[in-house]
Amino acid sequence: MARSCGPGLLLLLVVPPEVVADDMNPCCSYPCQHQGVCVRVGPRGYECDCTRTGYFGTNCTSPELWTRLHDLLKPGPAFFHFILTHFRWFWDIINRTFIRDTLMRLILIVRANLIPSPPTFNSDYGYISWEAYANVSYYTRVLPPVPDDCPTPMGTKGKQQLPDPQLLAERFLLRQKFQADPRGTNLMFAFFAQHFTHQFFKTSGKMGRGFTKALGHGVDLGHLYGDNLQRQHQLRLFRDGKLKFQVVDGEVYPPTVTDAPVHMVYPSAIPKEQQLAMGQEVFGLLPGLCMYTTLWLREHNRVCDILKREHPTWSDEQLFQTARLILIGETIKIVIEDYVQHLSGYFLSLKFDPELLFGTQFQYRNRIAVEFNQLYHWHGLMPDSFIIQEKEYSYEQFLYNTSMLMDYGVEALVESFSKQVAGRIGGGQTINANVLQVAVGLPRSRYPQQGQSLPGMIPLLKLSDVHLAGEEEKAAELEELYGDIDALEFYLGLLLEKPQPNGIFGESMVEIGAPFSLKGLLGNPICSPEYWKPSTFGGATGFEIVKTASLEKLVCLNVKKCPYVAFHVPDAAENGSPRRGGPSTEL
């Protein structure tokens, strides 16, 4: 029997004994819908807390009047995507009016409000607790983990044993033939994504499930400065605020580990004299990551020179700390106006302006979520080989190539990566064999679908979505492997979803990923009213560096000759890319 209740109240439901085994947690079947919270009561009962979900009833399935009207009138994500990626002439007009600011504010508020703040769960606490809130060694979670006492890894759905990850990767993710991204995304974009996200995605498998080694949960440039004070000090010059560097053929590069003795991950066969010292210990893996580290190192020291001229009385510490804030601001500006702009494909010009959120309810704090970490594995971008100045390199020749950066120089690498097209991420069978093991390793922190939706976002994928890609045979095979349509894992489902028209990946990746991204960027303290003012950045000059930053300026102000630089190959500029000829520096 169930007690009747009004909207937002708790409802106790006793599950009939024939439905659930005596020792099974009734919350394992995820009876509470629309983000209702399931609380076990007694040996067989549970309560659904429907507070502020917009639904009521036994399992939070009955919509309130406002929810019913909202669902009836609100168009789906596909409608908004179509409008924002068509009618260029219309958006060219909008981008020159105040309406651009209004739309950008609306996008930021709607997207950011989808992320729970303060955080709610982590991989060890499936209920609200102080530990889940305060222990930043964990990734947070939007959805709680599957209770430990459930009969299957997904709760009650599917088989008791998940499919072998090696089998899943080889059957559904392994690339059979390279598919170029239809929008002309290039390797400059691919390496930027990897370089940028490794400041806050630092999963710590040794600590247990759901832990991160990153002390910061957002844009703190720990991948440049080090993620702890000791590493930072080993990388600093302690003169004029600058970072350590070496000069080769008149060009500035990161120092070697002999001069900056930080721990770096290199094969034992590579001598220390050839190992570059960087903030992130794994960046020696790829020349593309070394290239971006070099650019940001040069930019930091360039900004320090500017600050030193304007503030000759400042200490080394103040110069360093202020330059770091400026570079954090530059990074966020580039990510929103160049990186996310390209990623979205929108003709609406996105704008980085923290003042758009002033006066609204907004928390300037961020926590990286397991869901965000899981979806941001885009190894399908990687090509089958790498072309540098018309010379082809295999993975064996490219990985840990410690001489390529200085042999070619930053300009040559930027131009080569800007002109080589990246692969498509979504749709399945898009990952090169050389990086497939990364996908195989992800199930160590397997994230289930759980038969519910992420808050305010579209429902998590089901096997039926795979049919959209015209892969009925594969969908049937997946259903056989998992045993139930609702047991497909989050990461695999995202990669198998049919890409959007002329898109890098499917609708779910965008709708789930965008709120995490925008909340993380605008939740940075430099975007708060207390920080967002000239004095934070050393005065008007430093503030202007932040407000006018772009990918193009990052490169061209730190090399001798400005190469072609963009997040799309040159041909894409003439085939519908929102940016023509290169990233705009216009505010």
Side-chain angles (χ1 to χ4, degrees):
M1 294 291 295
R3 300 196 305 268
S4 61
C5 67
L9 300 180
L10 294 179
L11 183 71
L12 174 64
L13 181 72
V14 178
V15 182
E18 65 272 11
V19 176
V20 186
D22 287 344
D23 58 347
M24 195 192 93
N25 183 346
C27 293
C28 288
S29 60
Y30 294 95
C32 308
Q33 300 301 299
H34 303 105
Q35 293 79 58
V37 177
C38 182
V39 181
R40 189 173 186 176
V41 178
R44 296 179 180 172
Y46 68 89
E47 293 175 343
C48 281
D49 185 348
C50 307
T51 304
R52 288 183 292 278
T53 64
Y55 292 82
F56 64 95
T58 302
N59 295 320
C60 307
T61 54
S62 300
E64 299 172 5
L65 177 61
W66 175 250
T67 303
R68 195 184 302 273
L69 291 173
H70 178 270
D71 292 344
L72 181 66
L73 298 175
K74 181 183 178 182
F79 172 81
F80 289 113
H81 180 79
F82 178 83
I83 296 297
L84 288 164
T85 56
H86 291 76
F87 316 112
R88 182 193 288 274
W89 61 269
F90 171 76
W91 292 110
D92 284 345
I93 296 173
I94 293 296
N95 290 333
R96 293 193 293 267
T97 70
F98 71 93
I99 301 176
R100 177 197 180 196
D101 284 2
T102 302
L103 292 176
M104 192 67 206
R105 181 184 298 108
L106 180 63
I107 290 172
L108 293 174
I109 291 174
V110 170
R111 293 290 199 187
N113 284 344
L114 297 177
I115 303 301
S117 187
T120 48
F121 312 110
N122 64 33
S123 293
D124 282 334
Y125 290 87
Y127 49 88
I128 297 294
S129 67
W130 186 256
E131 182 71 9
Y133 163 75
N135 191 340
V136 296
S137 295
Y138 285 95
Y139 290 115
T140 187
R141 293 178 69 116
V142 176
L143 294 180
V146 177
D148 292 332
D149 54 356
C150 293
T152 75
M154 300 302 172
T156 58
K157 303 289 183 71
K159 300 180 179 180
Q160 291 186 340
Q161 193 76 25
L162 289 171
D164 175 51
Q166 186 75 39
L167 171 66
L168 292 172
E170 292 178 356
R171 179 68 184 91
F172 302 105
L173 301 180
L174 178 62
R175 178 183 294 161
Q176 305 299 316
K177 182 182 178 181
F178 178 78
Q179 301 177 59
D181 174 65
R183 292 185 46 246
T185 301
N186 59 23
L187 294 192
M188 195 69 179
F189 177 93
F191 289 128
F192 186 95
Q194 191 173 14
H195 187 270
F196 168 71
T197 58
H198 271 61
Q199 64 188 297
F200 44 77
F201 292 152
K202 298 189 70 176
T203 301
S204 177
K206 294 181 180 179
M207 295 172 66
R209 63 175 186 170
F211 281 92
T212 173
K213 293 182 291 184
L215 298 181
H217 280 254
V219 182
D220 62 0
L221 271 56
H223 61 332
L224 176 63
Y225 302 113
D227 60 4
N228 60 72
L229 192 59
Q230 179 185 4
R231 191 177 184 94
Q232 179 199 118
H233 285 182
Q234 290 171 322
L235 292 168
R236 284 177 59 178
L237 188 62
F238 286 106
R239 187 172 65 251
D240 298 334
K242 293 185 176 182
L243 295 171
K244 290 179 180 177
F245 61 93
Q246 62 172 313
V247 178
V248 179
D249 295 331
E251 299 278 8
V252 168
Y253 294 97
T256 65
V257 295
T258 56
D259 294 323
V262 296
H263 169 69
M264 294 295 297
V265 178
Y266 281 97
S268 58
I270 299 177
K272 291 187 179 296
E273 294 76 17
Q274 296 178 24
Q275 296 182 21
L276 297 181
M278 294 171 276
Q280 228 288 1
E281 60 266 27
V282 302
F283 277 0
L285 173 67
L286 295 167
L289 302 179
C290 296
M291 175 200 70
Y292 271 114
T293 298
T294 302
L295 283 169
W296 284 113
L297 166 65
R298 293 179 182 180
E299 177 66 3
H300 175 91
N301 288 352
R302 185 186 77 87
V303 168
C304 284
D305 285 335
I306 294 173
L307 291 174
K308 179 69 173 179
R309 288 196 298 270
E310 294 216 347
H311 309 283
T313 62
W314 276 14
S315 67
D316 166 77
E317 187 67 18
Q318 187 166 6
L319 290 168
F320 171 82
Q321 296 294 347
T322 304
R324 181 173 187 166
L325 291 176
I326 290 173
L327 263 67
I328 289 173
E330 288 186 82
T331 298
I332 297 174
K333 173 77 156 50
I334 291 170
V335 169
I336 290 178
E337 296 196 10
D338 289 324
Y339 177 82
V340 177
Q341 181 77 63
H342 173 79
L343 195 64
S344 69
Y346 294 166
F347 290 136
L348 168 67
S349 292
L350 303 183
K351 183 178 183 180
F352 172 50
D353 182 0
E355 294 186 24
L356 294 175
L357 291 175
F358 290 0
T360 66
Q361 290 185 335
F362 192 80
Q363 293 198 27
Y364 293 96
R365 187 181 181 188
N366 187 60
R367 283 282 292 279
I368 299 298
V370 167
E371 293 90 346
F372 193 37
N373 184 23
Q374 282 274 308
L375 70 81
Y376 224 125
H377 288 80
W378 297 346
H379 294 85
L381 290 168
M382 288 292 101
D384 290 336
S385 61
F386 302 87
I387 311 298
I388 310 295
Q389 290 191 337
E390 301 183 358
K391 182 176 179 180
E392 185 173 9
Y393 289 86
S394 67
Y395 276 81
E396 291 75 15
Q397 296 169 315
F398 193 73
L399 299 181
Y400 290 112
N401 190 326
T402 58
S403 64
M404 181 176 284
L405 174 66
M406 298 175 197
D407 287 347
Y408 281 103
V410 171
E411 296 98 320
L413 291 186
V414 167
E415 185 143 20
S416 297
F417 294 148
S418 294
K419 291 183 176 179
Q420 183 172 359
V421 69
R424 173 174 256 173
I425 299 169
Q429 296 185 318
T430 59
I431 300 180
N432 181 276
N434 289 281
V435 291
L436 189 66
Q437 285 306 116
V438 179
V440 174
L442 278 177
R444 287 179 295 182
S445 56
R446 283 178 140 168
Y447 186 91
Q449 302 274 18
Q450 299 180 309
Q452 55 182 319
S453 303
L454 289 169
M457 306 174 199
I458 61 175
L460 295 183
L461 294 160
K462 298 180 184 236
L463 283 176
S464 56
D465 292 314
V466 181
H467 286 285
L468 297 175
E471 299 286 353
E472 288 78 6
E473 182 180 337
K474 287 183 181 177
E477 185 178 350
L478 280 166
E479 189 161 11
E480 172 63 27
L481 287 168
Y482 281 96
D484 190 282
I485 192 171
D486 289 333
L488 178 64
E489 295 167 83
F490 179 63
Y491 170 68
L492 187 59
L494 287 172
L495 292 191
L496 293 181
E497 187 181 30
K498 179 182 178 181
Q500 292 176 308
N502 199 34
I504 300 176
F505 32 55
E507 178 181 286
S508 299
M509 188 82 79
V510 176
E511 295 302 310
I512 296 172
F516 289 117
S517 179
L518 293 176
K519 174 62 174 69
L521 294 168
L522 272 298
N524 193 286
I526 72 159
C527 299
S528 67
E530 289 76 18
Y531 279 59
W532 188 251
K533 48 192 174 185
S535 56
T536 299
F537 307 99
T541 300
F543 205 21
E544 188 68 12
I545 292 174
V546 172
K547 293 193 290 184
T548 60
S550 70
L551 176 70
E552 189 174 46
K553 291 182 72 172
L554 172 66
V555 173
C556 295
L557 291 176
N558 290 291
V559 297
K560 292 179 179 178
K561 182 180 179 182
C562 188
Y564 170 77
V565 51
F567 283 142
H568 54 74
V569 295
D571 290 346
E574 302 304 323
N575 292 320
S577 171
R579 302 280 189 177
R580 292 184 176 275
S584 172
T585 59
E586 180 182 348
L587 272 176

